[in-house]
Amino acid sequence: MRLFLALEPPEALRERLGELAHMAHARCGGRRMPDESLHLTLAFLGEVEAAQAAALVDWVNRLAVPPGEWRLSAWGRFQRPGIVWVGSQAPDTALAALHRRLWSQLEELGITGRPSRYVPHVTLLRRAERLETEGLPVPALTWRYHRLELIQSITDARGSHYVSLAHSPER
């Protein structure tokens, strides 16, 4: 099964991110991410065997995640896959530290694949026809977080959708 660790936005923030996705889609085309799919990936784990997934569920259910706040203040894009996203103008030290901590613990659990670079972002569009975000309103959003989720990405006849398998305790 294909898994990742993510922060899920509170509902009001998800709605605002959806509005930004709508504006970006009108400007750039491509495939707009459904509001219910908007999230911040902390660690993409890829394909994981069932036994290892069960161990990850147990780990996430016990994982203490320090509460934090992320300020979304910039548009971004990844040229090659045609992704348009929102994130921060400057690196977020708390998210970077959480990312490093998670990967250290994941590696102890036998999960490999730590990326060489981490750019916290929320993907709004995939396969954008144009990567022209100039002129779009500057995002000015604050995301308060206190837990993460282990999510399974499922692709079927309806397309891709996500199922939460576990979440860290509320803090």
Side-chain angles (χ1 to χ4, degrees), residues 111-163:
I111 303 290
T112 59
R114 181 191 301 227
S116 59
R117 185 178 98 144
Y118 179 61
V119 179
H121 66 279
V122 178
T123 298
L124 302 177
L125 304 176
R126 294 187 185 279
R127 295 188 210 107
E129 297 156 12
R130 293 170 305 287
L131 296 174
E132 301 166 8
T133 58
E134 297 78 18
L136 289 171
V138 175
L141 304 172
T142 299
W143 184 333
R144 289 178 183 83
Y145 58 88
H146 57 277
R147 72 176 197 178
L148 62 80
E149 296 195 39
L150 175 64
I151 298 176
Q152 180 180 7
S153 175
I154 299 172
T155 303
D156 57 22
R158 298 177 296 160
S160 293
H161 58 280
Y162 303 141
V163 175

Side-chain angles (χ1 to χ4, degrees), residues 33-96:
M33 299 304 296
D35 289 3
E36 63 272 9
S37 296
L38 299 172
H39 66 276
L40 167 64
T41 299
L42 291 166
F44 179 74
L45 311 179
E47 290 296 326
V48 175
E49 296 295 327
Q52 200 166 36
L56 288 167
V57 166
D58 289 341
W59 172 67
V60 168
N61 283 332
R62 293 180 280 110
L63 186 63
V65 174
E69 189 174 277
W70 182 38
R71 298 196 186 275
L72 293 92
S73 57
W75 291 93
R77 54 197 172 262
F78 296 132
Q79 186 77 31
R80 190 163 186 197
I83 289 178
V84 174
W85 52 266
V86 291
S88 301
Q89 284 183 332
D92 186 284
T93 55
L95 282 176

